[in-house]
Amino acid sequence: MKMLILEDDVKVKSLVIEFIKEAYTRNDLEILWCTSIKKAYELQLIHRFDCQIVDIRVEDGLSWDYISNTKNSIRTLATSAHTNESKEKGVRFLPKPYSLIEF
């Protein structure tokens, strides 16, 4: 299983990976991480991801268009501390901060 994390905060990325390691016990999990929408698109050209966790506000803008373009082919969980911007429909959304149980 291959997962993409689009998150520009290193601390949040590390926390998400720890959550995943606690909740997911398969040995074949590969996690790739990027901090920009541009890099996420580049990784999509190289890899086939099974799922992705996408922060709404990253270093090169808001990721709603990226989510809209990829959510039908990749299971997507959107996250953000900016809940006012996060009213888009059609994607699972988890407001920050969140706990392991919520995740």
Side-chain angles (χ1 to χ4, degrees):
M1 179 176 182
K2 195 174 284 194
M3 175 184 292
L4 174 64
I5 299 175
L6 171 52
E7 171 63 63
D8 60 351
D9 185 321
V10 175
K11 291 179 185 176
V12 172
K13 184 261 314 186
S14 297
L15 181 65
V16 168
I17 290 175
E18 288 304 312
F19 283 176
I20 292 166
K21 286 180 180 177
E22 279 197 42
Y24 195 79
T25 57
R26 288 176 51 176
N27 292 329
D28 65 342
L29 177 63
E30 182 179 354
I31 301 172
L32 281 82
W33 169 59
C34 63
T35 60
S36 71
I37 298 163
K38 179 182 178 189
K39 185 64 176 179
Y41 276 120
E42 290 173 6
L43 289 171
Q44 294 289 339
L45 295 173
I46 301 168
H47 302 278
R48 176 171 161 68
F49 293 103
D50 299 295
C51 59
Q52 61 185 351
I53 300 170
V54 179
D55 188 10
I56 300 303
R57 184 181 282 184
V58 291
E59 65 185 32
D60 59 347
L62 298 176
S63 58
W64 286 121
D65 287 340
Y66 170 79
I67 290 171
S68 293
N69 291 332
T70 61
K71 72 178 181 179
N72 291 329
S73 60
I74 305 168
R75 297 172 79 185
T76 300
L77 173 64
T79 66
S80 182
H82 307 281
T83 56
N84 290 338
E85 298 170 357
S86 304
K87 306 252 185 214
E88 291 288 316
K89 299 199 186 285
V91 66
R92 290 183 177 180
F93 177 78
L94 184 61
K96 292 178 186 177
Y98 48 83
S99 67
L100 174 58
I101 293 170
E102 292 170 308
F103 183 81

